[in-house]
Amino acid sequence: MTSAIARPSAVLLPGTGSDEIFVRSVFAGPLAVAGVGAITPPPPPGELVGVEYLKLLDMLADAGPLIVGGISFGAHLAVEWAVRNRHRCAGLLLALPAWHGEPGRAPASLAAMASADLVAAQGLEEALRRSTAGVAPWLAAELARAWRRHGHGLAASLRAAAARPAPPLSALRTLDVPAGIAACTDDPVHPLACARAWARALPRAALVETTLAALGEDRESLGRAAVLAWQRASRS
């Protein structure tokens, strides 16, 4: 006899200038081990990246409550949606949050704005050449693929993400769902202090730390950290 119970799924959104290929490589394997499917929609083009992702989550939630999450800006959007749809959110998988409230001078926001200016002034290929000089080969390869896939909408997408407020900590305190947070201790763009602030604010959160060095060797290391944190939070 086969079971008629559908496997739960989580919707995961990528970070600024990233794409669904990367977020899938991070989350799909660890979620499969946990018995959860991964839905990884591609980024909408240009300045509407945030608006269109939120609309997509609304549509997907028509079929039932969602586990939502993502990386960096994707994590911000997931929490923004959850705050507006508490009754439709079943859990959160949040990797590398970059700020809360207004971005201000958050490193990730400044970096995205600088990248957008570089793309607009120098063109995509020259911006890639400059942005990948001296970075780890795995990150250079990720940027080259994802930025090219964004195409002409890249600069507008980067600016929209960089300027969009994340939910304030006061809003996070209203989300009584299991929330798994993953942070890298050696990542200056996504400060560990921000992840810890999110973990303190969310009522049922757990935080698991990893490193960018581990992520470079194994994309799933970040996903495993988030899923492990979510499993711990689910038992609280």
Side-chain angles (χ1 to χ4, degrees), residues 6 19 54-55 74 87 91 107 145 152 173 222-223 231:
D19 63 7
L54 294 174
K55 287 181 180 178
H87 63 292
R145 184 201 65 249
H152 294 301
R173 295 187 184 102
L222 183 63
Q231 290 172 324

Side-chain angles (χ1 to χ4, degrees), residues 15-19 22-23 25-26 71-72 96 111 115 127-148 158 184 186-190 211-219 222:
T16 308
S18 186
D19 63 7
F22 181 67
V23 78
S25 72
V26 167
I71 300 172
S72 189
L96 308 181
S115 294
L128 268 174
R129 187 186 70 79
R130 296 190 184 192
S131 298
T132 57
V135 307
W138 73 268
L139 180 55
E142 291 292 343
L143 288 174
R145 184 201 65 249
W147 281 21
R148 289 185 178 117
L158 291 169
C184 291
D186 54 350
D187 184 354
V189 177
H190 304 91
T211 65
L212 282 179
L215 181 59
E217 295 294 326
D218 175 14
R219 304 295 177 271
L222 183 63

Side-chain angles (χ1 to χ4, degrees), residues 166-232:
L169 296 181
S170 58
L172 268 61
R173 295 187 184 102
T174 69
L175 291 175
D176 190 21
V177 296
I181 304 173
C184 291
T185 59
D186 54 350
D187 184 354
V189 177
H190 304 91
L192 178 60
C194 179
R196 288 175 172 171
W198 281 39
R200 288 192 298 269
L202 288 159
R204 296 177 60 195
L207 170 66
V208 172
E209 298 171 9
T210 181
T211 65
L212 282 179
L215 181 59
E217 295 294 326
D218 175 14
R219 304 295 177 271
E220 292 186 354
S221 61
L222 183 63
R224 285 195 298 272
V227 171
L228 176 59
W230 173 68
Q231 290 172 324
R232 291 175 177 173

Side-chain angles (χ1 to χ4, degrees), residues 103-121:
R105 296 190 61 79
S109 176
L110 295 178
M113 283 293 191
S115 294
D117 290 344
L118 187 59
V119 170

